[in-house]
């Protein structure tokens, strides 16, 4: 899963197939089953995945990530792998997952020599050994593809992957005063703030503008979990909140 069509050019692939399959799936009480159906139909030439483009997300590429140096990274809802491959080039030991088995098969086929560990997994029911296991977690445009009734679970799950001393990077469309037909259902500021749960602390929130896109405003937010003190095993910051840099307009 990776719901982000901001780079779709005028006259290019639309969200028609996405919405058709999502409506059918949601009507049957299945909030996520449409992802596999979309990728499977696209592979058979009967549908279009509008966010299936070669380049990693521009809001990821332009973010000043330090070199990975072998640190563990997790990509949530990786789709065909564009963002996962970008992180791998930066030196991260990347695990990337998607709920769609077809999306993972496509990612492995496109990147046969990749060091990325591609897995089929569910954000709402992830492997237990992923709990607080990653130094960097990327949640890019997945929560916005989910109906409101399960978003809180998804937001908490994404934050739960972040290790002590680790970081969560959230990329998402921002809700505006003129919401369109979904999915996606862009996130409100309150939903972005909700990623700061427990000891996961908000570091920065940026409001980025994307002229010429159907999704005109984007969020880029960073959250961190305090590192453990080597001597006491406790929070190095002694319970003091991290400073928050807010560049939202």
């Amino acid at each position: 899963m990776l719901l982000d069509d901001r780079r779709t050019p005028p006259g290019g692939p639309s969200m028609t197939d996405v919405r058709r399959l999502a409506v059918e799936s949601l009507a049957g009480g299945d909030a996520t089953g449409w992802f596999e159906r979309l990728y499977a139909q696209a592979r058979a030439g009967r549908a279009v995945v509008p966010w299936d483009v070669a380049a990693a997300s521009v809001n990821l590429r332009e973010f000043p990530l330090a070199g990975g140096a072998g640190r563990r990274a997790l990509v949530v809802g990786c789709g065909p792998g564009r963002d996962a491959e970008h992180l791998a080039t930066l030196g991260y030991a990347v695990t990337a997952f998607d709920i769609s088995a077809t999306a993972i098969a496509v990612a492995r086929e496109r990147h046969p020599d990749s060091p990325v560990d591609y897995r089929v997994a569910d954000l709402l029911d992830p492997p237990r050994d992923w709990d607080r296991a990653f130094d960097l977690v990327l949640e890019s445009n997945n929560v916005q593809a989910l109906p409101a009734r399960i978003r809180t679970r998804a937001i908490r799950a994404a934050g739960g992957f972040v290790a002590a001393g680790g970081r969560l990077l959230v990329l998402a469309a921002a809700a505006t005063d003129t919401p369109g037909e979904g999915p996606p259902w862009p996130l409100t500021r309150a939903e972005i703030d909700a990623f700061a749960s427990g000891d996961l602390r908000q570091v920065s929130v940026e409001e980025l503008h994307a002229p010429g896109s159907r999704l005109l405003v984007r969020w880029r937010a960073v959250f961190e979990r305090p590192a453990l003190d080597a001597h006491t095993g406790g929070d190095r910051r002694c319970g003091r909140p991290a400073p928050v840099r807010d560049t939202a307009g």
Side-chain angles (χ1 to χ4, degrees):
M1 136 186 7
L2 190 70
L3 202 62
D4 174 13
D5 69 338
R6 73 186 181 283
R7 284 176 302 276
T8 301
S14 74
M15 300 293 286
T16 301
D17 294 321
V18 168
R19 296 198 174 113
R20 170 177 59 85
L21 294 170
V23 166
E24 293 173 0
S25 185
L26 290 168
D30 184 354
T32 59
W34 62 272
F35 292 104
E36 171 57 22
R37 293 177 61 199
L38 176 65
Y39 279 108
Q41 290 188 22
R43 198 177 195 189
R46 301 196 305 272
V48 173
V49 180
W51 56 85
D52 185 7
V53 297
S57 166
V58 65
N59 290 333
L60 172 61
R61 287 184 280 118
E62 293 180 352
F63 186 74
L65 279 174
R71 290 188 291 272
R72 296 188 69 190
L74 181 71
V75 178
V76 177
C78 64
R82 66 186 190 197
D83 291 345
E85 295 298 319
H86 174 74
L87 293 181
T89 66
L90 298 179
Y92 288 91
V94 181
T95 298
F97 75 94
D98 203 284
I99 197 170
S100 166
T102 300
I104 293 301
V106 170
R108 291 170 176 165
E109 290 167 3
R110 289 186 183 175
H111 313 288
D113 300 317
S114 173
V116 176
D117 180 13
Y118 286 106
R119 307 267 196 99
V120 178
D122 184 349
L123 173 61
L124 301 178
D125 186 23
R128 291 185 179 181
D129 61 353
W130 287 1
D131 184 53
R132 300 198 177 203
F134 296 91
D135 303 296
L136 173 67
V137 176
L138 173 64
E139 155 42 29
S140 178
N141 305 295
N142 294 288
V143 172
Q144 68 188 38
L146 302 174
R149 60 184 171 81
I150 60 174
R151 281 190 175 185
T152 298
R153 287 176 58 200
I155 287 169
R156 289 176 180 170
F161 300 130
V162 181
R167 173 180 286 188
L168 169 66
L169 175 60
V170 177
L171 306 177
T176 66
D177 294 333
T178 55
E181 182 184 5
W185 296 281
L187 303 190
T188 65
R189 175 59 191 263
E191 288 174 317
I192 290 294
D193 292 344
F195 281 92
S197 177
D199 62 346
L200 192 65
R201 299 164 178 173
Q202 189 179 93
V203 176
S204 64
V205 178
E206 296 174 271
E207 190 173 320
L208 308 173
H209 295 272
S213 168
R214 186 181 61 82
L215 302 173
L216 294 175
V217 185
R218 318 290 304 184
W219 298 118
R220 183 165 61 194
V222 178
F223 304 82
E224 290 182 351
R225 176 159 282 127
L228 297 178
D229 187 283
H231 299 290
T232 67
D235 182 347
R236 284 182 185 168
R237 293 174 182 159
C238 302
R240 289 175 293 178
V244 174
R245 178 174 61 87
D246 189 341
T247 60

